[in-house]
Amino acid sequence: MKKNYVFLLCLLVTSVFFGCKQESEEQKGDSVLPKIEIKSEKLSTEKKNNDFITEPVSDSVKQSSPWYNNKPSPYYKDCTITVYDKNGVKTISEANAEVKVRGNWTTSYAKKGLRIKFAKKEKQNLLGLNDGKEFSNWVLLASYKDWAFSRDLTGHYLGRLISPDYYATDSTLVEVYANGEYFGVYVLAEQQEINENRVDITEAEDNTSVNVGYLIEYDTYYKSEDEACIFEIDCGKYGQILDKNGKRLSTYNKGYTIKNDLNNTDQRDFIESYMNNLWKLCYEAVYNNVFYKFDDDYNLVLDKDVKTAKECVSKYVDLQSLVETYILHEIVCDPDLYLTSFYMDIDLSKDNPKKLTFEAPWDFDSTMGNKNHCANAEGLFAAVVGKDVNYSWDSGSGNPWLMMFVRSDWFNQMVSEKWKEIKNQNILGQVISRIDYFTSNCEENFKNNYKKWDNIGHNDWVGNELCEESAACKTQKESAEYLKKWLTKRFDNLDKLLIIE
């Protein structure tokens, strides 16, 4: 994901020599955040007990960056998890779990995200998230390049506020300790997975039929995944895709990863065929006013009963979820939108049918003015072709699913109506209040985190990814103030860009 190997080598060197101050003494300070303690036994393959947290790098990074080949791939390690709430009350005591490093490019940073997988018989709720429901899988996001510790929290919160009828993870801040060592502040969030209380679709692994649920990620890292769970849609072969300004989408990711366990190769082959046909159905309806439908065998046949593109597409796509996903990404301006962490799901079972739905928004540490993409908070972003993820050249990049519909009057009218609803709900005010809460109450927690990692103000440690104003911040408070200013300006500009009178 970085534009040359020089940055990578610099990143590796600084991570090794400067990135992490190894301290055995806990830095609890005046903590007002909940605390998660991870304990484990040292493995014979490890030099230090916490190597499983500090050393692994994802296979996708190692494939593109040979300097990391001597690093282990992420591996699960048996642990116990103890959780304390913000008042210091123990809410979970030594629950059995497995823990490993998670993420793609972020695994190259000194502070890495983690995945927690509790034993199936020991599902847990962590700190009341998702209305207290219990799950096996949770994640800890490192927020290494978001010095405000607020962008993932804000993205998740916006997802829940904008799309209350669809799933978006709940999240909060915690402090993490592993085997007595302080590891800093993390964002505790839910794992993106099929579950009746998360992405509610039919599990495929216990069913041999192709008529099951599929959780799908638009994912440029797909080639590093198991071949049995990936597929491609070459959307360009059906015709040119134009952004809202009439500029052609010329560079796009073709890859998709199926995020749930399938039971046989027929299911993978089926969903690849179905999604390619669905793309064609949408394209022909929107661009050519040619209307198709699926027959009983999931083949495309002409549909002579529908009269409009909206009517045709709405049979198979949850358009409201697409509108709300578009608005969310128009707010946050996510450069990874072109590549990865863009989720959709569909359920073709008879008992729990579900159209293609866009939900489970994810990965916001590069968003909201943190990188050079839309750093001035102006102009349309989510469905306008733009520069590559490193902001190094005009690559004609874009997300084809969002770009497909933005030239349609009916879609823009739906967007306008939803944006007016968002304004009436004062969603911006709610978001800023939440940022202010953590900034004003967790100052000591943030100070302790930056004593540990010493990364704030070091843009070179993340490959100089951050924009000038974001990189200039020297404290969490300064970074949060910049984020609030950016969000306020962004909302004001979207009033002019999205509302149709």
Side-chain angles (χ1 to χ4, degrees), residues 194-195 199-203 213-215 345-347 352 354:
I194 294 177
N195 184 289
V199 178
D200 185 14
I201 54 178
T202 303
E203 288 279 8
Y214 300 88
L215 175 58
D345 55 88
I346 189 169
D347 197 332
N352 191 31
K354 189 176 183 180

Side-chain angles (χ1 to χ4, degrees), residues 371-382:
K371 297 180 74 169
N372 283 306
H373 302 77
C374 204
N376 61 7
E378 297 176 357
L380 292 172
F381 181 87

